[in-house]
Amino acid sequence: MSTIPARPADAADVGQSLLYGMLRIRMVEEAIASRYHHEEMRCPVHLSIGQEAVAVGVASALDRRDAVLSTHRAHAHYLAKGGDLRAMIAEIHGRATGCSGGMGGSMHLVDMEAGFLGSTPIVGGSIPVGAGVAFASKQRGDGRVTAVFFGDGTTEEGVFYETLNFAALHRLPLVFICEDNLYSVYSPREVRQPAGRDLVALGRSMGLAAERGDGNDVRLVRDLATRAVARARSGDGPTLLELSTYRWLEHCGPNYDNDIGYRSEAEFEVWRERCPVERETARVIAAGEATVASIDATRLRIAAEVDDAFAFALASPFPEDRDLPAAYASPLVNPR
Amino acid sequence: MSTIPARPADAADVGQSLLYGMLRIRMVEEAIASRYHHEEMRCPVHLSIGQEAVAVGVASALDRRDAVLSTHRAHAHYLAKGGDLRAMIAEIHGRATGCSGGMGGSMHLVDMEAGFLGSTPIVGGSIPVGAGVAFASKQRGDGRVTAVFFGDGTTEEGVFYETLNFAALHRLPLVFICEDNLYSVYSPREVRQPAGRDLVALGRSMGLAAERGDGNDVRLVRDLATRAVARARSGDGPTLLELSTYRWLEHCGPNYDNDIGYRSEAEFEVWRERCPVERETARVIAAGEATVASIDATRLRIAAEVDDAFAFALASPFPEDRDLPAAYASPLVNPR
Amino acid sequence: MTREITFAAAIREATDQCLQADPRVYLMGLGVPDPKGIFGTTTGLQEAYGVDRVLDMPASENAMTGVAIGSAIAGQRPILTHQRVDFALLSLDQLFNNAAKWHAMFGGQMRVPLVVRLMVGRGWGQGPQHSQSLHSLFGHVPGLKVVMPSTPHDAKGLLTAAVQDDDVVIYIEHRWLHGVVGDVPAGTYTVPIGAARVAREGSDITLVASGYQTLEALRAAEWLAEDGVSAEVVDLRSIKPIDEHAIVASVGRTRRLLAVDGGWRFAGVASEVLAIAAEQAHASLSTAPRRITLPERHTPTSWPAAQRYYPGVPEIVATVRDMLGLPPQSVPPQWRESGYGDQPSPSFRGPF
Amino acid sequence: MTREITFAAAIREATDQCLQADPRVYLMGLGVPDPKGIFGTTTGLQEAYGVDRVLDMPASENAMTGVAIGSAIAGQRPILTHQRVDFALLSLDQLFNNAAKWHAMFGGQMRVPLVVRLMVGRGWGQGPQHSQSLHSLFGHVPGLKVVMPSTPHDAKGLLTAAVQDDDVVIYIEHRWLHGVVGDVPAGTYTVPIGAARVAREGSDITLVASGYQTLEALRAAEWLAEDGVSAEVVDLRSIKPIDEHAIVASVGRTRRLLAVDGGWRFAGVASEVLAIAAEQAHASLSTAPRRITLPERHTPTSWPAAQRYYPGVPEIVATVRDMLGLPPQSVPPQWRESGYGDQPSPSFRGPF
Ligand SMILES: Cc1ncc(C[n+]2csc(CCOP(=O)(O)OP(=O)(O)O)c2C)c(N)n1
Ligand SMILES: Cc1ncc(C[n+]2csc(CCOP(=O)(O)OP(=O)(O)O)c2C)c(N)n1
Ligand SMILES: [Mg+2]
Ligand SMILES: [Mg+2]
């Protein structure tokens, strides 16, 4: 085998495509981080390095027509769901060719083709919207499943609970994915939630199926998500998955920040050891599904794709005002 | 003994004072209902007939300096906490002598002396305010406990969960009392919450102590509340109590409404049988703590007090505009 | 062939026809299918269209607004109701941050054809938290349209237009209008969003009003006419977009302007009306324009105080006379407001 | 003896002094004690005053506002912060239904001495949900005071006044002001809430501005002066109560009015300024007053588009010249805005 396949052709390819998906996200995020100081990407970026397994594992359980909604930290979800890389990089560069035409930046990604219906940075804001998409699926019987991603800090917003209740009440085809990376910006869990908070018990008491798992184990994530998606698809209602993981870089921006005082280098190192990409790489190689050489070849292929996306973005024009969408979708009636 | 004591003098009086408290609320509410058609009480009234035991049981566990916040259905809580009857009836009549000076009506009761810090009709709205009062107590170390009352429908508002989290995080001296009367206005549980919702498990998963009980058994309520208040007072954090009960009259207004179609006469009859006042009356009589005659004497005493309150209200003036509070507490600076 | 029905019945009819015409339309709100049927505006609709299309909901205003938005971007056309505007304050995150922006912030790829029906309470002790009229707030945010009918005809036509519109429309109903009767065509029709109507022609002054205050302005104009003053009444019907042309054209004719709004003064719709006139009709104005709005206070619950709180015919008449340099004159009781204290009519009694 | 510090440092100093002076004062908000310290405005305060008085909080804006209210009625004096105004939309139920009304709706027996610090984002791709300037909304609701300083001096004085005030004060900080340097007395002092300031005297036209737009108005006035036009700049400082007298007095002197506001147009503060002038200074106005506000669109994230989105010196100068009947003239680059695109200065770079 020369390179890892981008999409699984058969069962044997699945592990490789999981690895491919994670590697690709990792390399895209690394490229954003390394080029951010050029000041061509003039918008906040919340990178997902260290958290790739959640996005890839969940997306691997979804069909292309299924829907995803996400947050400020959306690059991984967008890419894993099949969002267009060029359009994302162009959007982060504020170009007219960006996925939101320059209205969104990193915090408002969208790819309608890929079923990525939007990511927004108001904490909790996209959760009920995802439930609404699932509600429409239920009303229309279109068989679509919706997944909403959010962080551990988001479980402090009331709208999260309101949405759990509604989803359970109507047995919506919906999967809630909580990426627990221990922090909300620079605030550790202990200043935000009481010790011993049990989100799985909470989900169950609200009437959902709920499970917790290692969010850095992409195959476990895929398995949990596959069960959740099957449950949703068959009308058995929503599932809440809590997946533990860790963000390697600063909350917003391209740098490491273990030195500024809110977390320790030692803690970081523990999680660095649990790198989801390295773990899956080792597994794939051990299983003989890929070799170091084939993975290197894949890296080269991804690097070229990333270079192309940045070149595309930098070559794209900025939007003119006439290209920008109005606040209203329908023309305002001029009654005269 | 001639009548039931208004306040417990010693242990033997407790049961009687619980009964007294409930009887008094019942008779006040009945008087409001029977006189409502006079159209002198020109404001919405949400009566508590059938739900007296929750208010009285909880209040009996609180000290006078402890704080209570409540909702649109607040008469029982206000009276049980020691709120001034004349001021309440005058407020419902829109008089200047009302507890809120004519700005509140039935839905905004207050008695600062009695520690009744306010009731408001935006569902869920007073819950975090209660937590704030408890937070101030913690900051100041004043030993005060706060109780917040709300209905089962209110557990659908996000702010309820946000407040549970904060209260558990800071181990606030707070008791949450959910009066589960099966309905939110005319909407039964099944259109609002999934079957099998377990609020006690939910409270525990959020990090609170939580218990459920028969809200029509005033002694059980008192016992549960006493434990919760002790926990709060000793710094062991908040408790969520879910107490099942039933509202006899229409959601808002003075009438019975089992005929309009949202609930059955049969259901009503089951709950009518579980009348908290009758149950406690039987218990007190069986225990020899009171007699039919002594209770009748108490009724007469209460009836006189109620008549006095209505007479006081009707004799009171309406507020002049100059008596009404401005929107601002401090005079607006006129800088010139 | 005229047919008179109530404002509430007109809303129900529009909803019924929209549900009938388009399977994507659905209706959701606290109490929508209950025996009171949102003051009669939704009665029987669940029976006719089923529980999937006409449904109750949990008391979760913010999430339910998000759900409505999500369903709208997925192709549905929700109508969400709240029995008081005041409850919608819980959902302004979803309305302002998401509903108003979803179309634009994703480059115009999605639409949010959402209608939110909000009711303004008044009288019978509604008090500080059940009587706010917050149309100005909604109007401030780009991406939201805001309508505020004053007649059964417009109630039906604007609701139908709102449901057919591809944007978010905030539809504001004054509780005292539900019982008002008027001519309503039986078939489906729309009233264009963004078009005011000259509710009464006049030549001495323009009264710009909306919603329930239009009725007060019309009553004031009637009494003024008895007295030889000719007031034109412009019923905005839509708050946003506001019909600048209609305001400027009327002021051009009458050369005087009084804005009568049912909300608070500061940065309210009346401020906007005056600003538009000042910018675009400064030269036409023969005297300083004025505003009649709620006082800078919260609604008292006590009914006599509440009655004084709401400005109506007497205040309008007094202000108009003053603007025209006429001496004060008291308004006979039959021209004052409704004359029924804190109820719009004797048959309409609390609690409501 | 003058001492120059930044706007952010002035806020920190006011907070420090208030915490020091009154044990009832406490400070709460997402990230308050974190290493970034709310853009440097809270750095070190937790170390100085302890975790009970300077604390982080869960991402629960509505409940935390209620908690602040509850603690305030129980005698504390909370300062609550949100890093973006946009997040406060989640708490408008508590702010509008409770904080603004608690005093009045219980007959004046309680007070809510609460300060809510809200930050307006701009530039570096803040985009539709992180750059709203919603002061007009807060100003609309009786019971809330709203201040919006434009200088380090006023930032400190208004924050101290807000903390000492017995009402709810919404304190709005523009992100681009945090780095601005100016004279700030070291001791405790207050700037009265409700009093505007004439930031520059002039005789040809009055520019009424607030917050960051005051800087644009001042820059425009400087350039206009080079060109022989004398513009007076009134810095509102307080949005609510608004200093009507200062507006009317200035317009009485200059006979022309241009309101420059950083928010949207419809029923915004600029509308209010025009309405006040139309009502109270109609006869003084020699020409129609105008407004410069944000366009009726959402903030683009793309930086060149965002730069065009925000009106500044060029738009002010062009409008003033037009109002004075002068021919258009282009503004040299050094007078335009800051000249640094989507940053206020080159040292101030994203992400922020
Ligand atoms: C309503 C709201 N409150 C606060 C913020 C500021 N904020 C931005 S990202 C973030 C962290 C949220 O933490 P979490 O959900 O755990 O996501 P993570 O960043 O860790 O992926 C916060 C609080 C916001 N954007 N929206
Ligand atoms: C935010 C909000 N939403 C809706 C309402 C309308 N409403 C008034 S009382 C009520 C019922 C609440 O039910 P519950 O909490 O069970 O209290 P109960 O009336 O049964 O005592 C509702 C929904 C409201 N007042 N506030
Ligand atoms: Mg997190
Ligand atoms: Mg209930």
Side-chain angles (χ1 to χ4, degrees), chain A residues 62-87:
Chain A
L62 295 168
D63 289 351
R64 187 161 173 87
R65 77 198 164 102
D66 288 335
V68 161
L69 284 106
S70 171
T71 66
H72 57 289
R73 196 177 306 288
H75 300 178
H77 311 138
Y78 173 95
L79 292 173
K81 187 61 176 60
D84 187 273
L85 176 62
R86 282 181 154 197

PDB file of all heavy atoms in Angstrom, chain A residues 62-87:
ATOM      1  N   LEU A  62     -21.275   8.680  11.006  1.00  0.00           N
ATOM      2  CA  LEU A  62     -22.362   9.407  10.334  1.00  0.00           C
ATOM      3  C   LEU A  62     -22.316   9.217   8.819  1.00  0.00           C
ATOM      4  O   LEU A  62     -21.244   9.020   8.247  1.00  0.00           O
ATOM      5  CB  LEU A  62     -22.248  10.913  10.634  1.00  0.00           C
ATOM      6  CG  LEU A  62     -22.436  11.352  12.087  1.00  0.00           C
ATOM      7  CD1 LEU A  62     -22.007  12.814  12.253  1.00  0.00           C
ATOM      8  CD2 LEU A  62     -23.884  11.165  12.532  1.00  0.00           C
ATOM      9  N   ASP A  63     -23.471   9.296   8.196  1.00  0.00           N
ATOM     10  CA  ASP A  63     -23.527   9.366   6.732  1.00  0.00           C
ATOM     11  C   ASP A  63     -23.265  10.794   6.282  1.00  0.00           C
ATOM     12  O   ASP A  63     -23.436  11.734   7.052  1.00  0.00           O
ATOM     13  CB  ASP A  63     -24.928   8.988   6.232  1.00  0.00           C
ATOM     14  CG  ASP A  63     -25.206   7.514   6.410  1.00  0.00           C
ATOM     15  OD1 ASP A  63     -24.257   6.765   6.752  1.00  0.00           O
ATOM     16  OD2 ASP A  63     -26.377   7.135   6.233  1.00  0.00           O
ATOM     17  N   ARG A  64     -22.939  10.938   5.013  1.00  0.00           N
ATOM     18  CA  ARG A  64     -22.701  12.273   4.488  1.00  0.00           C
ATOM     19  C   ARG A  64     -23.934  13.156   4.627  1.00  0.00           C
ATOM     20  O   ARG A  64     -23.851  14.333   4.931  1.00  0.00           O
ATOM     21  CB  ARG A  64     -22.253  12.203   3.024  1.00  0.00           C
ATOM     22  CG  ARG A  64     -21.829  13.577   2.473  1.00  0.00           C
ATOM     23  CD  ARG A  64     -20.973  13.451   1.228  1.00  0.00           C
ATOM     24  NE  ARG A  64     -20.710  14.766   0.628  1.00  0.00           N
ATOM     25  CZ  ARG A  64     -19.706  15.558   0.973  1.00  0.00           C
ATOM     26  NH1 ARG A  64     -18.853  15.193   1.909  1.00  0.00           N
ATOM     27  NH2 ARG A  64     -19.543  16.739   0.378  1.00  0.00           N
ATOM     28  N   ARG A  65     -25.118  12.564   4.419  1.00  0.00           N
ATOM     29  CA  ARG A  65     -26.350  13.370   4.485  1.00  0.00           C
ATOM     30  C   ARG A  65     -26.732  13.708   5.930  1.00  0.00           C
ATOM     31  O   ARG A  65     -27.602  14.541   6.163  1.00  0.00           O
ATOM     32  CB  ARG A  65     -27.495  12.636   3.781  1.00  0.00           C
ATOM     33  CG  ARG A  65     -28.060  11.517   4.606  1.00  0.00           C
ATOM     34  CD  ARG A  65     -28.872  10.493   3.824  1.00  0.00           C
ATOM     35  NE  ARG A  65     -29.026   9.318   4.651  1.00  0.00           N
ATOM     36  CZ  ARG A  65     -30.130   9.011   5.332  1.00  0.00           C
ATOM     37  NH1 ARG A  65     -31.208   9.754   5.237  1.00  0.00           N
ATOM     38  NH2 ARG A  65     -30.157   7.940   6.083  1.00  0.00           N
ATOM     39  N   ASP A  66     -26.122  13.056   6.889  1.00  0.00           N
ATOM     40  CA  ASP A  66     -26.397  13.408   8.282  1.00  0.00           C
ATOM     41  C   ASP A  66     -25.879  14.821   8.570  1.00  0.00           C
ATOM     42  O   ASP A  66     -25.045  15.349   7.838  1.00  0.00           O
ATOM     43  CB  ASP A  66     -25.749  12.386   9.233  1.00  0.00           C
ATOM     44  CG  ASP A  66     -26.465  11.041   9.213  1.00  0.00           C
ATOM     45  OD1 ASP A  66     -27.669  11.001   8.885  1.00  0.00           O
ATOM     46  OD2 ASP A  66     -25.805  10.018   9.497  1.00  0.00           O
ATOM     47  N   ALA A  67     -26.392  15.391   9.641  1.00  0.00           N
ATOM     48  CA  ALA A  67     -26.073  16.798   9.924  1.00  0.00           C
ATOM     49  C   ALA A  67     -25.173  16.932  11.143  1.00  0.00           C
ATOM     50  O   ALA A  67     -25.237  16.122  12.071  1.00  0.00           O
ATOM     51  CB  ALA A  67     -27.367  17.580  10.157  1.00  0.00           C
ATOM     52  N   VAL A  68     -24.345  17.954  11.119  1.00  0.00           N
ATOM     53  CA  VAL A  68     -23.499  18.283  12.267  1.00  0.00           C
ATOM     54  C   VAL A  68     -23.599  19.774  12.555  1.00  0.00           C
ATOM     55  O   VAL A  68     -23.652  20.588  11.631  1.00  0.00           O
ATOM     56  CB  VAL A  68     -22.027  17.890  11.997  1.00  0.00           C
ATOM     57  CG1 VAL A  68     -21.071  18.626  12.928  1.00  0.00           C
ATOM     58  CG2 VAL A  68     -21.841  16.387  12.155  1.00  0.00           C
ATOM     59  N   LEU A  69     -23.646  20.116  13.846  1.00  0.00           N
ATOM     60  CA  LEU A  69     -23.506  21.514  14.262  1.00  0.00           C
ATOM     61  C   LEU A  69     -22.414  21.596  15.310  1.00  0.00           C
ATOM     62  O   LEU A  69     -22.185  20.632  16.059  1.00  0.00           O
ATOM     63  CB  LEU A  69     -24.820  22.080  14.805  1.00  0.00           C
ATOM     64  CG  LEU A  69     -25.775  22.390  13.641  1.00  0.00           C
ATOM     65  CD1 LEU A  69     -26.864  21.372  13.576  1.00  0.00           C
ATOM     66  CD2 LEU A  69     -26.293  23.793  13.704  1.00  0.00           C
ATOM     67  N   SER A  70     -21.761  22.731  15.351  1.00  0.00           N
ATOM     68  CA  SER A  70     -20.606  22.825  16.237  1.00  0.00           C
ATOM     69  C   SER A  70     -20.413  24.237  16.785  1.00  0.00           C
ATOM     70  O   SER A  70     -21.306  25.081  16.682  1.00  0.00           O
ATOM     71  CB  SER A  70     -19.377  22.312  15.475  1.00  0.00           C
ATOM     72  OG  SER A  70     -18.173  22.550  16.158  1.00  0.00           O
ATOM     73  N   THR A  71     -19.231  24.442  17.354  1.00  0.00           N
ATOM     74  CA  THR A  71     -18.955  25.607  18.195  1.00  0.00           C
ATOM     75  C   THR A  71     -17.824  26.453  17.624  1.00  0.00           C
ATOM     76  O   THR A  71     -17.454  26.317  16.470  1.00  0.00           O
ATOM     77  CB  THR A  71     -18.484  25.109  19.572  1.00  0.00           C
ATOM     78  OG1 THR A  71     -17.217  24.446  19.369  1.00  0.00           O
ATOM     79  CG2 THR A  71     -19.456  24.130  20.181  1.00  0.00           C
ATOM     80  N   HIS A  72     -17.259  27.284  18.511  1.00  0.00           N
ATOM     81  CA  HIS A  72     -16.076  28.062  18.181  1.00  0.00           C
ATOM     82  C   HIS A  72     -14.893  27.165  17.801  1.00  0.00           C
ATOM     83  O   HIS A  72     -14.031  27.577  17.057  1.00  0.00           O
ATOM     84  CB  HIS A  72     -15.692  28.918  19.392  1.00  0.00           C
ATOM     85  CG  HIS A  72     -15.457  28.114  20.648  1.00  0.00           C
ATOM     86  ND1 HIS A  72     -16.483  27.513  21.331  1.00  0.00           N
ATOM     87  CD2 HIS A  72     -14.321  27.799  21.320  1.00  0.00           C
ATOM     88  CE1 HIS A  72     -15.991  26.872  22.382  1.00  0.00           C
ATOM     89  NE2 HIS A  72     -14.683  27.015  22.385  1.00  0.00           N
ATOM     90  N   ARG A  73     -14.830  25.957  18.332  1.00  0.00           N
ATOM     91  CA  ARG A  73     -13.690  25.063  18.081  1.00  0.00           C
ATOM     92  C   ARG A  73     -14.134  24.003  17.076  1.00  0.00           C
ATOM     93  O   ARG A  73     -14.348  22.847  17.419  1.00  0.00           O
ATOM     94  CB  ARG A  73     -13.229  24.423  19.397  1.00  0.00           C
ATOM     95  CG  ARG A  73     -11.826  23.786  19.331  1.00  0.00           C
ATOM     96  CD  ARG A  73     -11.389  23.216  20.688  1.00  0.00           C
ATOM     97  NE  ARG A  73     -11.469  24.181  21.761  1.00  0.00           N
ATOM     98  CZ  ARG A  73     -10.635  25.217  21.917  1.00  0.00           C
ATOM     99  NH1 ARG A  73      -9.622  25.369  21.083  1.00  0.00           N
ATOM    100  NH2 ARG A  73     -10.821  26.065  22.900  1.00  0.00           N
ATOM    101  N   ALA A  74     -14.255  24.406  15.818  1.00  0.00           N
ATOM    102  CA  ALA A  74     -15.004  23.596  14.857  1.00  0.00           C
ATOM    103  C   ALA A  74     -14.188  23.015  13.719  1.00  0.00           C
ATOM    104  O   ALA A  74     -14.703  22.195  12.950  1.00  0.00           O
ATOM    105  CB  ALA A  74     -16.134  24.435  14.265  1.00  0.00           C
ATOM    106  N   HIS A  75     -12.930  23.422  13.579  1.00  0.00           N
ATOM    107  CA  HIS A  75     -12.176  22.963  12.400  1.00  0.00           C
ATOM    108  C   HIS A  75     -12.208  21.439  12.270  1.00  0.00           C
ATOM    109  O   HIS A  75     -12.431  20.909  11.180  1.00  0.00           O
ATOM    110  CB  HIS A  75     -10.715  23.416  12.474  1.00  0.00           C
ATOM    111  CG  HIS A  75     -10.520  24.896  12.522  1.00  0.00           C
ATOM    112  ND1 HIS A  75      -9.281  25.481  12.632  1.00  0.00           N
ATOM    113  CD2 HIS A  75     -11.402  25.924  12.474  1.00  0.00           C
ATOM    114  CE1 HIS A  75      -9.396  26.795  12.654  1.00  0.00           C
ATOM    115  NE2 HIS A  75     -10.677  27.097  12.568  1.00  0.00           N
ATOM    116  N   ALA A  76     -11.970  20.762  13.382  1.00  0.00           N
ATOM    117  CA  ALA A  76     -11.899  19.297  13.331  1.00  0.00           C
ATOM    118  C   ALA A  76     -13.241  18.702  12.924  1.00  0.00           C
ATOM    119  O   ALA A  76     -13.300  17.776  12.105  1.00  0.00           O
ATOM    120  CB  ALA A  76     -11.464  18.745  14.693  1.00  0.00           C
ATOM    121  N   HIS A  77     -14.312  19.235  13.472  1.00  0.00           N
ATOM    122  CA  HIS A  77     -15.641  18.694  13.160  1.00  0.00           C
ATOM    123  C   HIS A  77     -15.976  18.901  11.692  1.00  0.00           C
ATOM    124  O   HIS A  77     -16.528  18.037  11.025  1.00  0.00           O
ATOM    125  CB  HIS A  77     -16.701  19.345  14.050  1.00  0.00           C
ATOM    126  CG  HIS A  77     -16.342  19.339  15.501  1.00  0.00           C
ATOM    127  ND1 HIS A  77     -16.557  20.409  16.326  1.00  0.00           N
ATOM    128  CD2 HIS A  77     -15.733  18.397  16.274  1.00  0.00           C
ATOM    129  CE1 HIS A  77     -16.129  20.132  17.543  1.00  0.00           C
ATOM    130  NE2 HIS A  77     -15.623  18.929  17.540  1.00  0.00           N
ATOM    131  N   TYR A  78     -15.642  20.086  11.225  1.00  0.00           N
ATOM    132  CA  TYR A  78     -15.909  20.445   9.826  1.00  0.00           C
ATOM    133  C   TYR A  78     -15.145  19.518   8.888  1.00  0.00           C
ATOM    134  O   TYR A  78     -15.711  18.941   7.949  1.00  0.00           O
ATOM    135  CB  TYR A  78     -15.495  21.902   9.645  1.00  0.00           C
ATOM    136  CG  TYR A  78     -15.528  22.454   8.236  1.00  0.00           C
ATOM    137  CD1 TYR A  78     -16.642  23.137   7.766  1.00  0.00           C
ATOM    138  CD2 TYR A  78     -14.423  22.335   7.390  1.00  0.00           C
ATOM    139  CE1 TYR A  78     -16.661  23.691   6.492  1.00  0.00           C
ATOM    140  CE2 TYR A  78     -14.427  22.881   6.116  1.00  0.00           C
ATOM    141  CZ  TYR A  78     -15.546  23.561   5.670  1.00  0.00           C
ATOM    142  OH  TYR A  78     -15.562  24.110   4.411  1.00  0.00           O
ATOM    143  N   LEU A  79     -13.870  19.363   9.149  1.00  0.00           N
ATOM    144  CA  LEU A  79     -13.059  18.532   8.255  1.00  0.00           C
ATOM    145  C   LEU A  79     -13.472  17.071   8.354  1.00  0.00           C
ATOM    146  O   LEU A  79     -13.604  16.384   7.327  1.00  0.00           O
ATOM    147  CB  LEU A  79     -11.569  18.696   8.589  1.00  0.00           C
ATOM    148  CG  LEU A  79     -11.003  20.091   8.275  1.00  0.00           C
ATOM    149  CD1 LEU A  79      -9.567  20.208   8.807  1.00  0.00           C
ATOM    150  CD2 LEU A  79     -11.040  20.381   6.772  1.00  0.00           C
ATOM    151  N   ALA A  80     -13.705  16.599   9.565  1.00  0.00           N
ATOM    152  CA  ALA A  80     -14.078  15.189   9.724  1.00  0.00           C
ATOM    153  C   ALA A  80     -15.398  14.898   9.010  1.00  0.00           C
ATOM    154  O   ALA A  80     -15.573  13.838   8.413  1.00  0.00           O
ATOM    155  CB  ALA A  80     -14.201  14.839  11.210  1.00  0.00           C
ATOM    156  N   LYS A  81     -16.288  15.843   9.025  1.00  0.00           N
ATOM    157  CA  LYS A  81     -17.595  15.621   8.388  1.00  0.00           C
ATOM    158  C   LYS A  81     -17.508  15.731   6.861  1.00  0.00           C
ATOM    159  O   LYS A  81     -18.492  15.487   6.169  1.00  0.00           O
ATOM    160  CB  LYS A  81     -18.619  16.640   8.932  1.00  0.00           C
ATOM    161  CG  LYS A  81     -20.061  16.404   8.483  1.00  0.00           C
ATOM    162  CD  LYS A  81     -20.572  15.044   8.941  1.00  0.00           C
ATOM    163  CE  LYS A  81     -22.016  14.760   8.629  1.00  0.00           C
ATOM    164  NZ  LYS A  81     -22.387  14.780   7.226  1.00  0.00           N
ATOM    165  N   GLY A  82     -16.339  16.114   6.363  1.00  0.00           N
ATOM    166  CA  GLY A  82     -16.198  16.205   4.906  1.00  0.00           C
ATOM    167  C   GLY A  82     -16.285  17.619   4.384  1.00  0.00           C
ATOM    168  O   GLY A  82     -16.464  17.841   3.178  1.00  0.00           O
ATOM    169  N   GLY A  83     -16.158  18.588   5.278  1.00  0.00           N
ATOM    170  CA  GLY A  83     -16.177  19.988   4.839  1.00  0.00           C
ATOM    171  C   GLY A  83     -15.004  20.278   3.908  1.00  0.00           C
ATOM    172  O   GLY A  83     -13.936  19.666   4.022  1.00  0.00           O
ATOM    173  N   ASP A  84     -15.220  21.227   3.028  1.00  0.00           N
ATOM    174  CA  ASP A  84     -14.223  21.554   2.006  1.00  0.00           C
ATOM    175  C   ASP A  84     -13.044  22.307   2.630  1.00  0.00           C
ATOM    176  O   ASP A  84     -13.218  23.386   3.199  1.00  0.00           O
ATOM    177  CB  ASP A  84     -14.909  22.404   0.932  1.00  0.00           C
ATOM    178  CG  ASP A  84     -14.004  22.647  -0.248  1.00  0.00           C
ATOM    179  OD1 ASP A  84     -13.216  23.621  -0.214  1.00  0.00           O
ATOM    180  OD2 ASP A  84     -14.067  21.850  -1.195  1.00  0.00           O
ATOM    181  N   LEU A  85     -11.842  21.753   2.488  1.00  0.00           N
ATOM    182  CA  LEU A  85     -10.668  22.349   3.127  1.00  0.00           C
ATOM    183  C   LEU A  85     -10.347  23.727   2.562  1.00  0.00           C
ATOM    184  O   LEU A  85     -10.079  24.677   3.308  1.00  0.00           O
ATOM    185  CB  LEU A  85      -9.463  21.411   2.973  1.00  0.00           C
ATOM    186  CG  LEU A  85      -8.131  21.958   3.505  1.00  0.00           C
ATOM    187  CD1 LEU A  85      -8.198  22.235   5.002  1.00  0.00           C
ATOM    188  CD2 LEU A  85      -6.989  20.991   3.184  1.00  0.00           C
ATOM    189  N   ARG A  86     -10.347  23.827   1.231  1.00  0.00           N
ATOM    190  CA  ARG A  86     -10.053  25.133   0.624  1.00  0.00           C
ATOM    191  C   ARG A  86     -11.006  26.210   1.125  1.00  0.00           C
ATOM    192  O   ARG A  86     -10.594  27.325   1.454  1.00  0.00           O
ATOM    193  CB  ARG A  86     -10.197  25.042  -0.892  1.00  0.00           C
ATOM    194  CG  ARG A  86      -9.022  24.396  -1.592  1.00  0.00           C
ATOM    195  CD  ARG A  86      -9.317  24.396  -3.090  1.00  0.00           C
ATOM    196  NE  ARG A  86      -8.112  24.372  -3.896  1.00  0.00           N
ATOM    197  CZ  ARG A  86      -8.082  24.706  -5.204  1.00  0.00           C
ATOM    198  NH1 ARG A  86      -9.202  25.105  -5.814  1.00  0.00           N
ATOM    199  NH2 ARG A  86      -6.966  24.651  -5.871  1.00  0.00           N
ATOM    200  N   ALA A  87     -12.277  25.854   1.178  1.00  0.00           N
ATOM    201  CA  ALA A  87     -13.284  26.839   1.591  1.00  0.00           C
ATOM    202  C   ALA A  87     -13.090  27.253   3.051  1.00  0.00           C
ATOM    203  O   ALA A  87     -13.325  28.401   3.434  1.00  0.00           O
ATOM    204  CB  ALA A  87     -14.691  26.282   1.391  1.00  0.00           C
TER     205      ALA A  87
END
